[in-house]
């Protein structure tokens, strides 16, 4: 799942792989592109200048080639190949997840293992399981020699190609390096970011050593693109009901003031930029505000300073795109269906779809490149191995620690805690949980999901009575000479006598990273609970522990999940016999009971990978 981070929203590109300008861009590294010469052929590779490396080779599409290497996905995972006329597999490993070779090393993950860096020979050169004592959850592809990583605590940092930390994981958001810079949000703004209070946030512009070059005030900015080129980054502000786009420098100052003519800036080249207005129509403007090409097109891309590819969706499907110059005059005679990409490998050719299932290489003169040996291009694919890899290893002890287990409760809750304090704690843990006493007038429980990055746990907090109650006053009324008194509700408050009597959680082990690892998780949690007090009873799949006067802890492996919690009572009557022989093949239902009250814990859901999307 791709999550869009507050203030870091990529301003929409006009077409695939359209960068904002020069520098060591991703597309400049692309050496070959997967293509098919006809419908029934296998996949081959062709260069951005039309040179065929090989044809009709792979049944599954390879990734684009960078640094002489590409990947092919099989049923088992990703296999690494050398880009040669007769492609050969490199190394013996099959990877569950990989990033493209945008540097001499790239992040990769084998099933059940932590992230590693591999070289072009497919050899592991650095283990990346922990950095500065923190477990690594994700790593992004290298950009300009640096990779953004995320810890299991949810914070981001930066490493170099040697796997050395150059910026410690202290940011709640951090973008990839572009033009020698990156932008991030320091973890001191974490609470404001979670609450959506962007006016309290300052975005830092950093160099690759972590030095702050400038700051961008969140209350003055609507969105930033997150990518610098030639020292500038597109950003937008709101002026009344209009979105206005401009260009920020590395200090966070306006190099080009936001203009009402542009709602978005898509591409910067020289002293011009491609923009779209509030109606979505595209044009070209100079830094001085002069409109070079009026915003009347449905798409526009700057191939060269005065050569633009433009789209008119009112035209027939196969004639929507053509080239124009700065005077709006058509260049060449060609019209085509789609503008797919430009500047791959720094080539001066665009790849265009001439008509359905027919692609060509187009020059800035508006003419098609004559391909060698009269090769046809039936299909092209700009596929990549991945922008982010996620660790497939689960540190069970670390996972147990993240749950905040104590003798008295879990995740900040304690058995015996008053209702008001418990509900405030729940709201702090999950802001979607209401802190309004009226919501609990007929409720004796709270449920929510806790994001542990690797997985999600379902939390349940039970009270011994309703957590809220009505505030009433006696009202005397007279009707036709008769006097009546009744109680009228004038408000609500938290019940002073309501106490937490159980705190429990459940984690699914049916799928995701914990699939097949349920017993390992159970053992880690059982060991944690046993360290809190005196064991009362146990079998292979259940343990009950006294954690203090009037409290006991329970851990259960049900075959489908691991359930655990702290409950009011002495635990002597808790029956664990039904769990003695369970397995993943013969699961049992988990009920943690407190004085015969069943604790109905919620089922955990698998967290999708937090693909970083700026």
């Amino acid at each position: 799942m791709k999550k869009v981070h507050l203030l870091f929203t990529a301003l929409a590109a006009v077409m695939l792989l359209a960068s904002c300008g020069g520098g060591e861009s991703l597309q400049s590294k692309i050496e070959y592109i997967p293509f098919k010469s006809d419908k029934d052929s296998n996949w081959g590779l062709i260069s951005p200048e039309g040179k065929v490396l090989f044809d009709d080779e792979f049944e599954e599409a390879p990734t684009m080639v960078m640094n002489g290497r590409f990947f092919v996905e099989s049923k088992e995972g990703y296999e690494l190949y050398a880009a040669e006329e007769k492609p050969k597999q490199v190394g013996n490993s099959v990877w569950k997840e990989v990033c493209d070779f945008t540097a001499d090393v790239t992040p990769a993950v084998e099933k059940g293992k932590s992230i590693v860096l591999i070289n072009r020979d497919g050899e592991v050169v650095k283990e990346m399981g922990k950095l500065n004592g923190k477990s690594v959850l994700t790593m992004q592809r290298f950009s300009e020699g640096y990779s953004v990583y995320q810890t299991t605590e949810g914070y981001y940092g930066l490493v170099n190609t040697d796997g050395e930390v150059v910026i410690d994981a202290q940011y709640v958001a951090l973008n990839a390096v572009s033009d020698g810079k990156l932008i991030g949000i320091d973890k001191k703004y974490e609470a404001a970011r979670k609450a959506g209070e962007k006016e309290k946030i300052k975005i830092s512009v950093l160099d690759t050593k972590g030095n702050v070059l400038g700051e961008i005030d969140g209350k003055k900015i609507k969105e930033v693109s997150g990518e610098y080129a030639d020292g500038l980054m597109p950003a937008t502000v709101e002026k009344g009901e209009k979105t206005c786009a401009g260009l920020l420098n590395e200090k966070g100052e306006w190099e080009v003031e936001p203009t009402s003519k542009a709602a978005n800036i898509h591409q910067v080249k020289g002293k011009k930029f491609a923009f779209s207005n509030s109606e979505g129509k595209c044009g070209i403007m100079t830094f001085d505000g002069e409109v070079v090409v009026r915003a009347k097109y449905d798409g526009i891309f700057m191939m060269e300073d005065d050569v633009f590819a433009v789209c008119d969706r009112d035209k027939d499907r196969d004639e929507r795109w053509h080239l124009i110059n700065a005077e709006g005059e058509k260049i060449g005679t060609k019209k085509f269906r789609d503008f797919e990409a430009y500047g791959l490998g720094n080539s001066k050719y665009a790849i265009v779809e001439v008509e359905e299932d027919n692609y060509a290489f187009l020059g800035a003169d508006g003419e098609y490149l004559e391909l060698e040996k009269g090769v046809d291009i039936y299909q092209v694919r700009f596929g990549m191995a991945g922008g982010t890899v996620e660790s497939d290893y689960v540190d069970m002890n670390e996972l147990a620690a993240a749950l905040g287990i104590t003798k008295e409760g879990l995740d900040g809750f304690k058995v015996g805690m008053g209702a008001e304090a418990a509900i405030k704690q729940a709201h702090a843990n999950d802001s979607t949980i209401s802190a309004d006493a009226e919501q609990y007038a007929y409720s004796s429980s709270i449920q929510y999901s806790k994001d542990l990055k690797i997985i999600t746990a379902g939390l349940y907090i039970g009270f011994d009575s309703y957590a809220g109650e009505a505030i009433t006053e006696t009202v005397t009324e007279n009707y036709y000479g008769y006097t009546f008194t009744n109680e009228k509700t004038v408000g609500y408050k938290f019940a002073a006598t309501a106490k937490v009597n159980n705190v429990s959680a459940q984690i699914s082990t049916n799928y995701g990273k914990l699939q097949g690892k349920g017993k390992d998780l159970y053992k880690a949690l059982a060991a944690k609970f046993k360290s809190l007090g005196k064991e009362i009873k146990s079998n292979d799949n259940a343990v009950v522990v006294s954690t203090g006067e009037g409290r006991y802890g329970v851990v259960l492996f049900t075959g489908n999940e691991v359930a655990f919690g702290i409950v009011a009572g002495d635990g002597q009557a808790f029956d664990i016999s039904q769990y003695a022989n369970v397995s993943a093949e013969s699961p049992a239902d988990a009920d943690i009971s407190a004085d015969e009250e069943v604790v109905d814990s919620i089922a955990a859901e698998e967290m999708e990978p937090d693909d970083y999307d700026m």
Side-chain angles (χ1 to χ4, degrees):
M1 168 176 71
K2 290 184 179 274
K3 295 182 180 177
V4 179
H5 294 268
L6 176 64
L7 299 180
F8 283 6
T9 302
L11 302 176
V14 177
M15 68 288 295
L16 178 66
L17 297 169
S19 70
C20 287
E24 190 190 0
S25 62
L26 175 65
Q27 59 265 38
S28 71
K29 293 178 172 292
I30 296 169
E31 298 162 0
Y32 292 95
I33 308 148
F35 85 105
K36 278 187 171 188
S37 55
D38 64 59
K39 180 180 180 180
D40 298 320
S41 72
N42 289 324
W43 290 90
L45 290 174
I46 189 169
S47 79
E49 295 182 337
K51 177 179 173 56
V52 175
L53 181 63
F54 57 79
D55 188 13
D56 197 17
E57 183 68 30
F58 290 98
E59 186 176 347
E60 298 297 328
T63 65
M64 293 187 290
V65 177
M66 300 184 195
N67 263 319
R69 296 291 183 267
F70 64 93
F71 292 94
V72 178
E73 189 174 9
S74 67
K75 292 180 180 179
E76 289 73 32
Y78 288 93
E79 299 171 350
L80 177 62
Y81 284 83
E84 300 173 358
E85 289 185 13
K86 293 185 178 180
K88 63 180 181 181
Q89 188 173 351
V90 178
N92 299 316
S93 296
V94 177
W95 307 97
K96 181 179 180 182
E97 293 183 13
V98 287
C99 288
D100 304 272
F101 269 100
T102 52
D104 289 334
V105 295
T106 196
V109 176
E110 286 186 274
K111 185 174 177 58
K113 296 185 178 181
S114 299
I115 299 171
V116 297
L117 294 183
I118 61 172
N119 61 21
R120 295 171 69 252
D121 293 324
E123 300 167 336
V124 175
V125 295
K126 184 71 178 287
E127 300 280 347
M128 303 298 287
K130 286 196 174 184
L131 293 173
N132 287 356
K134 303 294 184 182
S135 293
V136 176
L137 178 63
T138 66
M139 281 188 69
Q140 295 178 28
R141 70 166 67 99
F142 281 92
S143 177
E144 300 185 14
Y146 298 92
S147 170
V148 174
Y149 73 95
Q150 181 192 23
T151 68
T152 52
E153 294 177 335
Y155 302 124
Y156 295 87
L158 194 70
V159 297
N160 59 24
T161 53
D162 291 324
E164 299 168 336
V165 175
V166 293
I167 298 178
D168 198 27
Q170 62 184 44
Y171 292 88
V172 292
L174 193 65
N175 211 349
V177 176
S178 59
D179 198 32
K181 291 169 281 293
L182 60 168
I183 63 173
I185 299 175
D186 193 279
K187 65 181 180 182
K188 65 185 177 183
Y189 299 114
E190 184 171 16
R193 184 168 178 265
K194 285 181 177 178
E197 299 170 334
K198 69 177 187 177
E199 69 278 0
K200 297 181 180 179
I201 295 174
K202 289 189 183 295
I203 303 171
S204 298
V205 183
L206 310 166
D207 64 19
T208 54
K209 294 181 180 179
N211 299 314
V212 177
L213 304 175
E215 287 190 325
I216 302 168
D217 194 336
K219 67 184 176 184
K220 297 179 181 179
I221 298 291
K222 182 181 180 181
E223 294 172 347
V224 296
S225 73
E227 180 179 341
Y228 274 89
D230 299 328
L232 299 175
M233 176 176 64
T236 61
V237 299
E238 287 184 331
K239 293 183 178 180
E241 296 183 355
K242 296 203 76 172
T243 297
C244 304
L247 295 170
L248 293 170
N249 61 25
E250 65 182 28
K251 295 181 181 179
E253 302 165 340
W254 291 109
E255 191 80 13
V256 175
E257 290 285 338
T259 171
S260 59
K261 296 177 183 177
N264 279 322
I265 293 175
H266 305 292
Q267 183 194 11
V268 181
K269 194 175 183 68
K271 294 293 183 180
K272 301 186 186 78
F273 55 85
F275 71 96
S276 58
N277 61 22
S278 57
E279 285 76 42
K281 294 295 184 179
C282 300
I284 303 291
M285 193 183 305
T286 69
F287 284 10
D288 295 329
E290 177 190 354
V291 175
V292 177
V293 176
R294 186 167 61 84
K296 63 178 183 177
Y297 296 103
D298 297 302
I300 197 163
F301 183 80
M302 295 186 286
M303 290 178 64
E304 294 185 0
D305 283 347
D306 293 314
V307 178
F308 315 117
V310 295
C311 174
D312 184 350
R313 296 198 181 280
D314 290 334
K315 302 290 185 182
D316 290 340
R317 183 70 178 87
D318 291 339
E319 298 184 351
R320 288 181 177 178
W321 284 87
H322 64 276
L323 302 187
I324 63 170
N325 60 24
E327 285 70 45
E329 300 165 335
K330 185 179 177 183
I331 298 173
T333 61
K334 309 301 183 186
K335 295 180 180 180
F336 44 95
R337 184 183 183 91
D338 266 323
F339 191 101
E340 297 288 341
Y342 176 78
L344 305 185
N346 292 323
S347 166
K348 295 299 182 182
Y349 292 101
I351 299 175
V352 301
E353 187 179 9
V354 179
E355 57 190 7
E356 188 174 7
D357 302 328
N358 182 17
Y359 293 80
F361 287 72
L362 179 73
D365 59 359
E367 300 301 323
Y368 294 141
L369 174 68
E370 186 72 29
L371 299 179
E372 61 178 22
K373 302 176 183 177
V375 68
D376 292 323
I377 302 178
Y378 171 80
Q379 188 175 355
V380 292
R381 182 170 294 179
F382 302 98
M384 305 191 74
T388 303
V389 297
E390 183 174 355
S391 172
D392 203 44
Y393 172 73
V394 180
D395 186 326
M396 299 300 179
N397 293 323
E398 188 175 87
L399 184 58
L403 292 161
I405 301 167
T406 69
K407 292 182 177 182
E408 299 171 304
L410 312 172
D411 204 28
F413 298 97
K414 298 178 180 180
V415 169
M417 176 185 277
E420 183 173 8
I423 290 166
K424 285 183 178 179
Q425 179 67 50
H427 182 73
N429 292 353
D430 184 341
S431 61
T432 64
I433 294 174
S434 174
D436 183 355
E438 184 178 359
Q439 301 298 314
Y440 303 92
Y442 299 100
S443 176
S444 58
S445 66
I446 307 168
Q447 300 180 27
Y448 68 96
S449 296
K450 182 175 177 64
D451 182 0
L452 297 170
K453 302 303 176 184
I454 293 172
I455 51 88
T456 297
L459 271 292
Y460 178 99
I461 299 89
F463 300 96
D464 56 10
S465 61
Y466 290 149
E469 62 184 15
I471 301 172
T472 62
E473 62 180 25
T474 302
V475 177
T476 301
E477 298 174 318
N478 188 283
Y479 291 100
Y480 303 103
Y482 294 93
T483 300
F484 298 90
T485 61
N486 58 67
E487 298 296 313
K488 181 180 180 181
T489 298
V490 295
Y492 291 87
K493 64 180 179 179
F494 292 105
T497 59
K499 306 291 183 185
V500 173
N501 70 357
N502 55 82
V503 184
S504 66
Q506 287 180 309
I507 296 175
S508 173
T509 57
N510 260 353
Y511 42 81
K513 292 183 183 179
L514 288 178
Q515 185 174 11
K517 300 175 184 176
K519 202 57 180 288
D520 294 335
L521 176 60
Y522 165 75
K523 289 177 180 178
L525 288 169
K528 174 64 177 178
F529 272 68
K530 287 178 181 179
S531 72
L532 300 177
K534 182 180 179 181
E535 181 179 324
I536 299 173
K537 62 181 76 174
S538 67
N539 59 36
D540 287 346
N541 300 305
V543 61
V544 180
V545 178
S546 173
T547 66
E549 186 175 352
R551 294 187 311 272
Y552 66 96
V554 179
V555 185
L556 307 171
F557 174 59
T558 74
N560 289 328
E561 62 192 11
V562 178
F564 51 97
I566 304 293
V567 185
D570 62 16
Q572 296 293 335
F574 193 97
D575 182 12
I576 62 173
S577 61
Q578 62 179 306
Y579 305 103
N581 299 311
V582 300
S583 66
E585 290 73 32
S586 56
D589 294 327
D591 291 335
I592 301 175
S593 301
D595 295 334
E596 298 183 356
E597 178 184 3
V598 175
V599 178
D600 297 318
S601 299
I602 61 176
E605 296 178 1
E606 169 69 2
M607 186 191 81
E608 296 182 40
D610 184 8
D611 293 330
Y612 200 65
D613 187 15
M614 293 287 186

